Amino acid sequence: MLSRQSETSRISLFVLDQLLLAAAFAAAVALRYDLIAAGTIPGVAACARMYLVAAPLIAISLWAFGLYRAGQEPVWPRLTASVEPLWGGLATMAVLGLTRVLLYPDQDMRPVRYLFLGTAVLALVLSRLLVSRGGRTIHGDGMGSERLLVFGMSRRVLRLLAALQRGPHAPMHLIGVAADVVPTDLGPRLDLKEALELLNQGSVDQVLVEAETLQHDLLQEILAIADREGISVHITSTMFPATNLVPTWQRVGGVPLLGFVTAELPLGALAVKRCFDMAVASALLLLMALPMLAIALAVRLTSAGGALFVQERVGAHGKVFRMLKFRTMAADAEAGTGPVMAITDDPRCTRLGALLRRTNLDELPQLVNVLLGHMSLVGPRPERPEFIRSFKERIPRYAHKHWVKPGITGWAQIHGLRGADTSLTERIDHDLFYIEHWSLALDVRILIRTVFYGYLNAA
């Protein structure tokens, strides 16, 4: 229901965006020549060369900022049509600025870039709105959409059908629902005999089965007919618990095999995230070198012990690494208690340590962990090995957070879920939401909010 046409739709949308961006760049150059007479004007050939260099980078930036995610609810559902193209437009401007510095250091391309910013963002937003509106118009009466037949009815099926109508999925024309009770505004109600006859005639493209309301023998019959007619069948899962594992289907040695595998970020996403981490962490270390030196001296002068605190934490794939922090407690804080989770307003903190924690400045040495590849700028916060086993036993899907690198900050932290006195279950829910909806734009958003969160805590 989602895979084949969703992939085609994403490719089509990507091609449409590239065509629109090329047209927007041409329009920007034309406006620059026709409307601005003063100043040095670069030649058309120079602009063309610039775009040929920038175009692949623009495509990567649009993809990295999440404009082509498939099978997921958007991070900002009501603003997706306008916000994400804006992020993409800003990323495009950054790319063009970089190409200008690298290729044309003596030429002023700012007017073209500014004009392209307006035309590109306008083109991207309009394309999303037109595609969305056009899809509803064309497929509203079933033209060009796949014929969907539903067996069984429940609230879960209603939610799924609603999501198919508003989401980035293949357009569906509901031809009937085989159930005892069907909402009047949903579609025609069919008895079981009529539904099976449609299926036998091959008059259906997709079948949705609510397994909870269907008998096993009937489900086997539907699958047998669908196999004979070459019709796709999708079954709501009742035999598996809620999971973030991704189901896969393959044949090994002729044996059909249903698997559930870890939903890690794709290789391309990991590469983009790593490059972003390296660039930002390096810049922050250079920018914060003197403040970090001052903090280290202050820690040494105000309490006994070293300036840095090194502690083992669990990272991606369960690997243990040594995480760096500025020391905020007495050097022997756990001598009598053993490992204890930190809490808000922890009485073991020094006066300077309490301030460092409120402002998150104690986390700055973890930029080194980012450069070493142990951590990312954004991700689930890592925990100590001593606590992991009990967390796995108490919190469903806790270990799923280890599918990505831990972060200095994260989606949970900017929502106030920080420290042992907050709900660990809520923190895990936020961590999994982040993994499922990752984009470079989301990382930037979290980093910006982290700065304001630290400032407000310090106020």
Side-chain angles (χ1 to χ4, degrees):
M1 188 178 299
L2 306 180
S3 57
R4 183 179 67 254
Q5 288 197 11
S6 177
E7 183 69 22
T8 302
S9 299
R10 288 194 298 144
I11 294 173
S12 301
L13 188 58
F14 176 81
V15 172
L16 174 62
D17 282 348
Q18 299 313 305
L19 293 174
L20 287 173
L21 287 170
F25 189 79
V29 173
L31 289 171
R32 165 65 168 150
Y33 277 103
D34 294 340
L35 301 181
I36 304 176
T40 303
I41 301 176
V44 175
C47 290
R49 288 196 302 272
M50 176 182 176
Y51 186 76
L52 289 176
V53 173
L57 300 177
I58 292 171
I60 293 172
S61 70
L62 292 178
W63 172 82
F65 273 78
L67 267 69
Y68 308 108
R69 285 195 304 269
Q72 297 178 347
E73 292 293 330
V75 178
W76 306 289
R78 297 180 182 177
L79 299 177
T80 296
S82 58
V83 172
E84 288 189 340
L86 288 175
W87 279 113
L90 293 175
T92 298
M93 290 305 99
V95 168
L96 288 179
L98 177 63
T99 57
R100 184 258 180 185
V101 171
L102 294 177
L103 301 179
Y104 307 99
D106 300 325
Q107 296 181 5
D108 186 3
M109 297 290 290
R110 282 177 297 179
V112 174
R113 293 206 308 274
Y114 294 153
L115 288 169
F116 184 45
L117 173 61
T119 55
V121 172
L122 180 63
L124 289 173
V125 172
L126 287 178
S127 74
R128 292 303 190 279
L129 294 176
L130 289 174
V131 167
S132 176
R133 181 64 60 85
R136 291 191 182 98
T137 301
I138 294 172
H139 301 296
D141 58 357
M143 293 177 56
S145 59
E146 295 207 345
R147 298 162 296 178
L148 175 64
L149 178 62
V150 177
F151 287 87
M153 180 51 57
S154 67
R155 291 184 179 180
R156 177 167 52 185
V157 169
L158 290 175
R159 289 199 306 271
L160 178 57
L161 293 176
L164 289 174
Q165 291 297 323
R166 66 174 183 267
H169 311 297
M172 292 289 163
H173 172 51
L174 184 60
I175 62 174
V177 180
D180 295 333
V181 180
V182 178
T184 54
D185 60 342
L186 184 61
R189 176 186 174 278
L190 305 174
D191 61 35
L192 188 58
K193 183 178 179 181
E194 291 173 322
L196 290 175
E197 185 176 349
L198 284 174
L199 198 59
N200 272 301
Q201 292 172 353
S203 303
V204 179
D205 299 305
Q206 306 270 357
V207 174
L208 173 62
V209 177
E210 171 52 279
E212 190 173 286
T213 62
L214 224 61
Q215 295 181 354
H216 178 72
D217 292 344
L218 179 56
L219 177 59
Q220 292 291 330
E221 183 179 356
I222 292 171
L223 289 172
I225 298 174
D227 185 44
R228 185 191 69 211
E229 299 294 332
I231 297 171
S232 300
V233 179
H234 307 273
I235 306 172
T236 59
S237 175
T238 56
M239 64 184 74
F240 302 106
T243 178
N244 282 69
L245 297 172
V246 176
T248 63
W249 177 262
Q250 58 182 322
R251 288 183 179 273
V252 180
V255 179
L257 187 64
L258 175 64
F260 287 85
V261 299
T262 56
E264 301 177 9
L265 295 181
L267 183 60
L270 291 174
V272 170
K273 187 171 174 62
R274 180 60 180 158
C275 291
F276 178 75
D277 286 341
M278 293 287 288
V280 175
S282 299
L284 287 176
L285 279 173
L286 290 174
L287 183 66
M288 300 298 294
L290 290 179
M292 289 176 67
L293 179 60
I295 293 172
L297 290 173
V299 172
R300 287 295 307 269
L301 293 174
T302 56
S303 62
L308 290 179
F309 177 65
V310 182
Q311 191 176 67
E312 287 191 344
R313 296 292 177 104
V314 178
H317 310 295
K319 295 181 179 178
V320 176
F321 69 98
R322 295 167 65 82
M323 189 181 77
L324 304 176
K325 297 180 69 172
F326 283 124
R327 182 172 55 81
T328 59
M329 299 182 183
D332 58 350
E334 291 186 342
T337 62
V340 177
M341 292 191 68
I343 60 174
T344 303
D345 298 326
D346 198 317
R348 299 173 298 169
C349 284
T350 64
R351 183 176 299 179
L352 176 60
L355 175 62
L356 294 177
R357 285 197 174 191
R358 284 200 305 272
T359 57
N360 297 321
L361 292 175
D362 61 320
E363 313 285 2
L364 285 176
Q366 289 162 40
L367 292 170
V368 177
N369 287 117
V370 173
L371 292 181
L372 292 175
H374 302 145
M375 298 179 65
S376 176
L377 291 171
V378 180
R381 286 296 294 168
E383 296 289 355
R384 299 169 66 175
E386 296 87 351
F387 304 137
I388 295 296
R389 176 52 55 188
S390 64
F391 288 163
K392 287 181 179 179
E393 294 174 354
R394 292 190 291 115
I395 308 299
R397 301 182 293 168
Y398 176 86
H400 295 191
K401 65 180 283 186
H402 296 144
W403 291 345
V404 298
K405 289 181 181 180
I408 297 176
T409 184
W411 186 248
Q413 283 65 46
I414 64 172
H415 287 86
L417 298 171
R418 185 170 182 253
D421 52 352
T422 59
S423 170
L424 183 56
T425 300
E426 287 187 44
R427 272 189 276 160
I428 295 303
D429 288 341
H430 280 70
D431 289 339
L432 296 182
F433 176 91
Y434 167 77
I435 295 172
E436 293 166 2
H437 296 85
W438 178 86
S439 72
L440 195 57
L442 184 58
D443 274 6
V444 172
R445 180 187 178 192
I446 291 172
L447 289 172
I448 292 173
R449 287 188 59 177
T450 298
V451 174
F452 286 102
Y453 182 75
Y455 173 78
L456 292 175
N457 277 354

